[in-house]
């Protein structure tokens, strides 16, 4: 199980997450910030749980590329 979390409010719109992991991230046309696809929002944190562990590598690259460190990826 992979858990990806995004603090969308702090996004600066650099687009790295969408480049490294287009399966899970898109850039919003409305405000230019990152969107974590299929996620649920709770208190400013957008979270998704994915049973497919094959996406871990691309999600981890997106998290590491983020200049403001607002993406976390956990393997449980």
């Amino acid at each position: 199980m992979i858990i990806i979390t995004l603090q969308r409010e702090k996004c600066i719109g650099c687009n790295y997450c969408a480049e490294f992991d287009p399966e899970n991230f898109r850039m919003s046309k409305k405000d230019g910030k990152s969107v974590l696809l299929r996620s649920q929002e709770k208190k400013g944190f957008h979270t998704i749980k994915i049973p497919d562990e094959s996406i871990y590598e691309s999600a981890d690259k997106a998290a590491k590329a983020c200049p403001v460190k607002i993406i976390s990826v956990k393997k449980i």
Side-chain angles (χ1 to χ4, degrees), residues 28-53:
S28 170
K29 291 182 180 177
K30 289 182 182 178
D31 62 7
K33 293 184 176 189
S34 178
V35 175
L36 181 56
L37 303 175
R38 304 171 308 280
S39 68
Q40 294 184 343
E41 189 269 337
K42 187 174 182 180
K43 296 183 180 181
F45 290 87
H46 297 258
T47 305
I48 185 172
K49 294 180 181 179
I50 303 171
D52 181 10
E53 293 193 8

Side-chain angles (χ1 to χ4, degrees), residues 53-70:
E53 293 193 8
S54 68
I55 61 102
Y56 179 79
E57 191 175 320
S58 60
D60 190 53
K61 283 182 183 178
K64 288 178 179 173
C66 180
V68 287
K69 305 299 179 204
I70 57 170

